[in-house]
Amino acid sequence: MTERAVTRTWLVLVAITIGSWWLAPAQYSDTLAASVPITALVLALTLIKSRLIIRQFMEVRAAPRWLKLATDGWLAVLFGAVFAIYVI
């Protein structure tokens, strides 16, 4: 991976982190209220961050196709379960 690609990936990760923080309702008021849409969006952003980290920094982008599919499937099941637990 080139230095430029690492920098771009890192900048995307930082932007997603800042975006997730910005979505937190506690920074606007003193009360905390659960919000399914905000939680779903933050989980989706976390899924994207996780996939970027696995693909770019754990070298899965150069791995066999079965490993790419396995990691994507694992992420989908994991985040689906976390969201289902949150909603229930």
Side-chain angles (χ1 to χ4, degrees), residues 13-84:
L13 292 171
V14 169
I16 291 172
T17 301
I18 291 169
S20 296
W21 171 82
W22 182 76
L23 289 171
Q27 69 180 345
Y28 302 114
S29 66
D30 291 335
T31 60
L32 293 176
S35 170
V36 174
I38 290 176
T39 300
L41 183 56
V42 169
L43 278 175
L45 291 172
T46 305
L47 176 66
I48 293 168
K49 283 178 63 172
S50 300
R51 189 168 189 270
L52 278 171
I53 291 167
I54 290 171
R55 286 284 172 110
Q56 300 298 329
F57 297 113
M58 298 176 79
E59 300 294 331
V60 173
R61 69 177 165 18
R65 182 173 167 83
W66 68 267
L67 185 57
K68 292 177 186 179
L69 292 173
T71 56
D72 287 346
W74 176 75
L75 285 172
V77 168
L78 176 68
F79 282 95
V82 168
F83 187 69

